[in-house]
Amino acid sequence: MRLKTPEIYSVELSGTEDVGKTDTGDGKEKYRGLKDKRLELKKNHQKEELKKEVDLEDHKLSIKELERKYGTNIVTGLSSTQAAELLARNGPNALTPPKETPEIVKFPQADGAILCWIAYGIQYFNDKSSSLDSVYLGCVLALVVILTGIFAYYQEAKSTNIMASFSKMIPQQALVIRDSEKKTVPAEQLVVGDIVEIKGGDKIPADIRLLSTQGCKVDNSSLTGNLTPSLRTHDNPLEAENPWNKMSTSPVGTATGMVINTGDRTIIGQIASLASGVGHEKTPIAIEIEHFVHIVAGVAVSIGILFFIIAVSMKYYVLDSIIFLIGIIVANVPEGLLATVTVTLSLTAKRMAKKNCLVKNLEAVETLGSTSIICSDKTGTLTQNRMTVAHLWFDNQIFVADTSEDHSNQVFDQSSGTWASLSKIITLCNRAEFRPGQESVPIMKKVVVGDASETALLKFSEVILGDVMEIRKRNRKVAEIPFNSTNKFQLSIHETDDPSDKRFLMVMKGAPERVLEKCSTIMVNGQEQPLDDSTAEAFHTAYMELGGLGERVLGFCHLYLPADKFPETYSFDVDTVNFPTSNLCFVGLLSMIDPPRSTVPDAVTKCRSAGIKVIMVTGDHPITAKAIAKSVGIISANSETVEDIAKRLNIPVEQVSKRDAKAAVVTGMELKDMSPEQLDELLTDYSEIVFARTSPQQKLIIVEGCQRQDAVVAVTGDGVNDSPALKKADIGIAMGIAGSDAAKNAADMVLLDDNFASIVTGVEEGRLIFDNLKKTIAYTLTKNIAELCPFLIYIIAGLPLPIGTITILFIDLGTDIIPSIALAYEKAESDIMNRKPRHKKKDRLVNAPLAIYSYLHIGLMQALGAFVVYFTVYAQEGFRPSALINLRVEWEKDSVNDLEDSYGQEWTQYQRKYLEWTGYTAFFVGIMIQQIADLIIRKTRRNSIFQQGLFRNKVIWVGIASQIIIALILSYGLGSVSALNFTMLRPQYWFVAVPHAILIWVYDEVRKLFIRLYPGSWWDKNMYY
Amino acid sequence: MAKKEKKSFSQCMAEWKLFLYNPTTREFLGRTTKSWGLILLFYLVFYGFLAALFSFTMWAMLQTLNDEVPKYRDQIPSPGLMVFPKPVTALDYSFRVSDPESYRGYVDDLTKFLKSYDLEEQKNLTACPDGALREQKGPTYTACQFPVVSLKGCSGVEDPEFGYSTGNPCILVKMNRIIGLKPQGKPRINCISKGEKTATLSTYPSNGTIDLKYFPYYGKKLHVRYLQPLVAVQVAFNTTSTGKEVTVECKIDGSPNLRNQDDRDKFLGRVVFKITMHA
């Protein structure tokens, strides 16, 4: 064989060279073809090919076959030249970073700014001395665009960088055999066929097929999501013991393996590409905001164009008409809203962070509120992520152990002699140890060296018996057979701590049926009894019952070795087994489970009442999954699965009417055979669903299935395997403690305490923010009409312009910003956790009543109020309202410097201009005063302000104060800066709009009163937003 | 992809049609007739109420006003200067001596403006003593005569063409009316030609004096037939100079409370105009 191999090499090598040549020959074309095909696939089949199960056959091949397949030799390794060629062909062993596509936020203002400059340009050519107003306006608009752009970019930059963390996981160096020598090379240079050596603590540099190991274990949990490694050789390579996957860590031992996949072709690479290939869906709030922008832009553009046409047909200059158009658009676009929404969301995000929900993607804050389905991972999220003793069986009785987070309340009967023996076995037949130096740490939080089951047993015995290490010291261990998968038991022999008893004690634990086989007696109430059929029957019943609860059951037995045959000096040999391992005495069973977190059942109930469906998706065994689902309420106490009904009625599963069952437990294998339609049916028919034994790809399919139902889906997960589903979900929630970096990166939200209950808090905050955003938008929209009407009146009735564009910007970006943010602090009006999640397509953020009420009711009232202030200022300065009509042309003529007012006085152009600015300021103040009333009425949508409490939200008052202070500064502080078009306003004008403000408040109170009095009436339908 | 779009487009149209008129629910634009009726009624009442309210507040506001004098005069503390003939766009007079049509507009404008200064019109006005402010207590207010002859060659009496036909055009300068304005000192309009001395300027009345007897002004309603004082500038181009073009700047002088220098207001107490005369 060894002689033959070089030939094989050469053949394969020339083969690869050919491939290489053809590749370089038409590589580009091929690549393009591939890309096109990929794009097509993406479009048509939604990346079906990515979702196909991971295909790895190598773990089934023998070493010889492997050598042939990869053209390598397990002793000498690849030659450097081979490695170089392969490296050139396959690329480095690194993940391709995703292509960044920076999004440029476009705003109507951008066009506005350009229009302004063009307008100035034309004006300048017509008349060199033309005013700089449009230049200022253009600059301000450009500034707004740039600032909002920077703001958005800053938010983008903070958001997910999933690939970055994937690449950070790549180990820096790898020990590889090349040219028969051990070399240390950077891990990026590994190629397929390399033979690598792994030491304890290393990260696996690529997907490797194990060749030999020395006590080496690998932690694949970040890939499979399972707590304990699966021991069977499974069809799915993720769950197979061999090969090992890149990025897993090996905690102990050493191993040699052959690289079978590198870079993007590794399983982690495929998952990474799956995760990055999954387009992040637009968040519901983004969709809502877009919808809102469409409405506003529609209104702005249609009114703008309408009045452009009117203006042109009224013989205005086209240039002027363009300026009107800009004015109308600026008046209509809520410039400050983007910043407001972002700040509002980040305020909520901060609030949530305090409650252990770290929000990475700001928009996700609201998404959680509209969530209608939560696909929750089991391990770590619903459960405590640690094995815990749940039940004991001895003396023919099942005892329940306390599985709460601190184990403090162990109530089972500890007086029996059997318990004394059982506790001794539990204590002694255990290799797990506390890591030293943790004396002050509570038992449950101590770090243990050992596997999950042994840890559970160690902590269990430590809680009940006290210092386990001391007990072990008193019962010195003389021999031990560690657990392995063929024996399925663990055995150790100890000296006893009873000085008068010179016998050795042999203790054993293991798979219950194996342990029972080795026993001939059973201990009942501290007395050994022969093991007869009835006791064996009792054992089986108990075993089945505990197994049926989804718990891992262990059997315990012991034997006192007779002192005459095994004197104190006896030397035990574990290899030859010079001691009896049969006819032992069976003591009891003990079952363990990863118990649900104590807060979860309550949280699930809350989700239910909030109309949220909780689906469990786990890689675990269906029985375990179902048991946990039942105990946390995902499957409620009185609902049954089809299988349950069949069992109860004693009929075959096929005969059960599917309608009778509310719950369903579906395994990955069943899911594999389902069509999308069947999955849809499954998701709609059953209200309580558990998916067990699912793969990452299937998680993705489930999420997509839920999204087809128009549901907003939240997915929780912690493993690398969860990251595609986390990305695909409307909101991905990763676990902060147990979660892998990849999961955290793919997620929009991280639960810092890994606690499902925190999600409920998040839902509540999300719903509140949706309600409050509605209020904010209603508040912001209202003044648009008050800003728009002046332009319309100006064009139609020819009044001197009541409010300038720059002044409008000072409202939108000045006085209104803090108040609209303040609405984010508003408390909920009613119990938001008792209503159904909003329907993605029906319950819009901005609906018709909101827009109509804001625009045509309050907005119009505001406009009238502001006009009163405007007319007052002009009238008291000499221009009566009647004189103002159609004054526009003369008013704006630069050459008219003796315009006569109602009293016969004559005004120069600049004097009129100054009066116009005073008018702007007056109109501005009028709007500002009424916006205060608007702010107060927006505190509630249904309840009276007095029910809500006028002073409960202190920030509102900060907002009102800011509004007034900014207006005062603008008028009295900056009144002399001519570019800003503000003047000092007489103090009494600040109060002219107050009656209108009060009217707004009264009107809204009446509206709310009728809504409360006549729910469901015509009024309610048209006036409730 | 395209197929999908097409489908959604036709769907869109169908949805629109259904929205326009839904035969099953008899909804027109998403509302039934009854619903539309209610909505219209509501808005009729609501907007009627708003209109009434607005009218009321405006009425209440107008009640605060005085018919004779505006409540505030702070925005026009100092008068602007303005010239006649009324400039069309910029303050740029251009005419051809040989072509009467080119200056007909100017002459007509001046004639029209000076109509109220006609001797016939001034018959009923008071002949006031010169040199002092003429404060009146009411209830009736009288206006002072302005002897139009003091404008000499620019009065239009001797030369109905105001010098345009002879190449010595007249421009009238007037000070804006401001109620209650009391100039201090001895206000006069001082006109100078800017740049090259291409023309000599004569101002009438001599020295461009504005007599204080025309002040204060008591407003359109009380001070009926008030005539504001005028100053005329006559331009005589130097025969030697080649360019028949002159830029003239007129300023109020001699009165400390009448401002003539403001960076932003180019017409506050001053006026700059250009005369171009073609042969």
Side-chain angles (χ1 to χ4, degrees), chain A residues 105-120:
Chain A
V105 187
K106 275 189 182 168
F107 267 82
Q109 288 104 306
D111 311 327
I114 292 161
L115 274 177
C116 278
W117 284 323
I118 291 171
Y120 174 72

Side-chain angles (χ1 to χ4, degrees), chain A residues 391-394 422 510-513 538-540 542-544 546 553-556 586-591:
Chain A
H391 292 97
L392 302 103
W393 180 81
F394 57 86
L422 183 59
E513 65 277 9
F539 159 86
H540 277 291
Y543 181 25
M544 290 313 291
L546 295 177
V553 189
L554 287 176
F556 294 83
F586 191 85
V587 181
L589 291 172
L590 192 147
S591 69

Side-chain angles (χ1 to χ4, degrees), chain A residues 875-878 903 988-989, chain B residues 64-66 69-73:
Chain A
Q876 298 197 338
E877 289 289 350
Y903 294 90
Q988 66 263 39
Y989 292 146
Chain B
T64 66
L65 298 181
N66 184 325
V69 182
K71 195 157 182 174
Y72 302 113
R73 276 161 298 174

Side-chain angles (χ1 to χ4, degrees), chain A residues 43-44 852 856-858 860-861 864-865 867-868 871-872 875-878 880-881 890 893-898 900-911 914-918 976-978 983 986 988-989 996 999 1003 1018-1019 1022-1023, chain B residues 1 31 35 38-39 42-43 46-47 49-51 53-54 57-58 61-62 64-82 84 86-90 174-179 217 219-220 228 262 264-265 267-268:
Chain A
K43 280 177 185 167
N44 297 343
I852 290 171
L856 298 182
H857 294 217
I858 304 296
L860 206 70
M861 285 160 102
L864 290 181
F867 266 112
V868 170
F871 280 125
T872 308
Q876 298 197 338
E877 289 289 350
R880 285 164 171 270
E890 286 291 297
K893 251 188 208 162
D894 283 350
S895 59
V896 176
N897 280 289
D898 55 349
E900 200 178 309
D901 66 15
S902 314
Y903 294 90
Q905 308 188 91
E906 288 168 326
W907 297 67
T908 65
Q909 190 266 338
Y910 181 79
Q911 284 165 339
Y914 194 79
L915 178 59
E916 191 178 313
W917 292 343
T918 311
S976 51
V977 183
S978 73
T983 66
R986 279 173 202 286
Q988 66 263 39
Y989 292 146
H996 278 260
L999 177 80
Y1003 177 68
W1018 176 87
W1019 184 272
N1022 283 286
M1023 303 293 259
Chain B
M1 207 65 185
R31 285 179 185 281
S35 177
L38 271 171
I39 280 283
F42 171 78
Y43 278 103
F46 179 56
Y47 284 172
F49 167 73
L50 284 189
L53 188 92
F54 181 69
T57 40
M58 286 301 280
M61 184 271 287
L62 291 175
T64 66
L65 298 181
N66 184 325
D67 273 354
E68 288 112 31
V69 182
K71 195 157 182 174
Y72 302 113
R73 276 161 298 174
D74 59 318
Q75 307 239 330
I76 34 173
S78 191
L81 282 194
M82 196 51 190
F84 266 90
K86 235 185 167 87
V88 187
T89 47
K174 74 176 173 81
M175 204 166 90
N176 280 352
R177 289 191 294 267
I178 290 171
I179 293 174
Y217 173 53
K220 197 158 81 175
Q228 59 201 116
D262 190 288
R264 292 183 195 150
D265 194 346
F267 291 88
L268 192 73

Side-chain angles (χ1 to χ4, degrees), chain A residues 315-335:
Chain A
K315 306 232 162 34
Y316 282 96
Y317 292 116
V318 175
L319 192 69
D320 285 343
S321 308
I322 290 172
I323 306 247
F324 300 160
L325 186 71
I326 296 165
I328 288 169
I329 290 172
V330 170
N332 253 303
V333 174
E335 283 85 2

